[in-house]
Amino acid sequence: LSFKQLAVIMSAGCSALFVSCSFRGGSSSASNTTGWAYNDPEWGGFEYQSGYEQETGPGLVFIEGGTFIQGRVEQDVNWGMDNVPRRVTVASFYIDECEISNANYREWLHWVNKVYSEYPDQYKAALPDTLVWRRPLAYNEPYVENYLRHPAYADYPVVGVNWKQATAFCIWRTDFLNNYLRANHQPMVEQYRLPTEAEWEYAARGGLALSMYPWGGPYTRNNSGCFIANFKPLRGRYADDGAARTIEVATYAPNEYGLYDMAGNVAEWTSNAFDESAYSYTHDLNPDYSYNAMADDPPVLKRKVVRGGSWKDVGFYLQVGTRTYEYQDTAKSYIGFRCVRSYMGRNAVDWDYGNF
């Protein structure tokens, strides 16, 4: 640009400085600060995109943020005092409709095996521990040998995955999607991650205030007398609910948000470290207590919050307010996970310009 042209441009820009600001933002074709044209190489080439709308990714459900009472909703029979009720707010987010299945997890294993073919230790580090099914004085060898890879179990929730492996899966899922978006010149999305326990509980409640279970009622049977989740309903009677161990994801009815297995089937890792008194000091807006324990840290620092209860748990652990934990470097036959992704920007339905 010549000096004369630059002077004209600067003059136009200065005049724009005195234009009153519009609350809804400026024009999508020119800056309301300088007057320079957007997305035009002759005007500097500054790129600006307006009207960006997030799409709900595959397998995800959008959860509109809000406020709720977090914690227990009935008498604390164990007198644990680790889930004292309090009101908190969580921002909008996306969450997997179902728990991550064996087929989902094997996609990651397939990718790791191909990309790190010269580094077999990377593949071994990602493998679930199939020996979690082995128990003294119990015959579970068919699960040890077949649960992860056999087509019969493809849609069953993956188990034998520790907290670190679940976190690594989320990182891979993020990179896989963002690499695709970059290749197609599209904006990247927020990272996939494990849910905070506040996000998990908010989603599990399904918008039902003070509900004991994700389905809302205080009972584990429906009107026909059938159990409505996969858990241990009676002593030694694992199969009375229709499944002796795990079962295909989305077998039982979803909660009001359309989420399956938020109680039972497998318990689920969250991102949070476990502290009995966390509710007394974490923030009331997007509460989060995290600690990435090192290998030489004491075991108490390796505790991660586990929610939802599983096929081998009694009904108490299926309650949406119940907190428990497991160590981040251990794997179990009754713990799986699902992913979340933060929603970027303000939810279109939570703001009505006509009211302001």
Side-chain angles (χ1 to χ4, degrees), residues 246-257:
T246 57
I247 198 170
E248 295 97 329
V249 298
T251 296
Y252 298 89
N255 70 358
E256 293 297 315
Y257 284 160

Side-chain angles (χ1 to χ4, degrees), residues 57-354:
L60 296 176
V61 173
F62 173 71
I63 305 296
E64 182 182 353
T67 179
F68 75 109
I69 301 296
Q70 180 184 26
R72 69 172 185 269
V73 296
E74 64 167 11
Q75 182 180 1
D76 189 2
V77 293
N78 293 328
W79 205 248
M81 299 298 290
D82 65 348
N83 58 350
V84 178
R86 62 169 187 159
R87 182 171 290 277
V88 300
T89 297
V90 295
S92 299
F93 60 97
Y94 299 99
I95 187 170
D96 279 327
E97 181 182 29
C98 303
E99 294 156 336
I100 297 300
S101 68
N102 286 320
N104 298 146
Y105 197 85
R106 290 205 312 269
E107 289 183 59
W108 179 43
L109 294 178
H110 176 77
W111 181 88
V112 172
N113 191 37
K114 290 180 70 70
V115 173
Y116 295 99
S117 58
E118 297 181 1
Y119 304 93
D121 288 345
Q122 297 292 329
Y123 179 73
K124 292 179 181 178
L127 284 171
D129 182 5
T130 58
L131 295 181
V132 295
W133 289 108
R134 189 167 287 170
R135 285 287 181 271
L137 304 178
Y139 181 69
N140 291 321
E141 291 307 303
Y143 281 77
V144 173
E145 298 173 0
N146 300 311
Y147 185 81
L148 175 63
R149 299 187 182 280
H150 197 280
Y153 301 108
D155 295 324
Y156 282 58
V158 67
V159 297
V161 174
N162 62 40
W163 183 86
K164 294 181 177 180
Q165 291 172 317
T167 301
F169 176 93
C170 295
I171 295 173
W172 163 77
R173 190 175 178 183
T174 302
D175 290 344
F176 196 89
L177 176 57
N178 280 334
N179 286 338
Y180 169 81
L181 294 174
R182 277 193 295 265
N184 289 273
H185 308 288
Q186 299 180 33
M188 293 185 294
V189 298
E190 278 282 350
Q191 65 181 359
Y192 287 93
R193 53 184 174 80
L194 295 177
T196 66
E197 63 170 322
E199 289 173 329
W200 188 96
E201 183 172 332
Y202 182 75
R205 290 187 182 277
L208 302 176
L210 303 179
S211 59
M212 186 180 300
Y213 297 104
W215 46 86
Y219 306 109
T220 56
R221 297 177 187 261
N222 60 19
N223 292 335
S224 300
C226 300
F227 290 108
I228 47 183
N230 180 16
F231 67 113
K232 184 180 180 181
L234 301 164
R235 179 174 297 178
R237 298 174 66 173
Y238 292 87
D240 279 17
D241 53 23
R245 297 182 182 85
T246 57
I247 198 170
E248 295 97 329
V249 298
T251 296
Y252 298 89
N255 70 358
E256 293 297 315
Y257 284 160
L259 305 176
Y260 294 90
D261 300 320
M262 295 302 286
N265 212 11
V266 293
E268 300 176 16
W269 290 113
T270 71
S271 63
N272 288 153
F274 180 84
D275 187 320
E276 291 84 350
S277 58
Y279 283 16
S280 66
Y281 59 78
T282 51
H283 207 285
D284 58 358
L285 174 60
N286 292 328
D288 181 31
Y289 172 60
S290 301
Y291 179 76
N292 187 18
M294 301 293 104
D296 55 352
D297 279 336
V300 69
L301 296 179
K302 298 180 180 180
R303 298 184 300 176
K304 301 299 181 184
V305 177
V306 175
R307 290 297 202 105
S310 74
W311 59 269
K312 67 93 184 173
D313 290 317
V314 296
F316 170 77
Y317 291 99
L318 272 62
Q319 295 178 18
V320 290
T322 298
R323 305 175 70 218
T324 186
Y325 68 87
E326 194 50 75
Y327 297 97
Q328 67 179 38
D329 51 3
T330 61
K332 303 295 181 181
S333 63
Y334 50 85
I335 298 179
F337 69 101
R338 72 179 76 209
C339 307
V340 300
R341 199 179 80 197
S342 296
Y343 182 87
M344 292 188 289
R346 184 169 56 211
N347 181 13
V349 302
D350 70 1
W351 187 271
D352 185 354
Y353 289 106

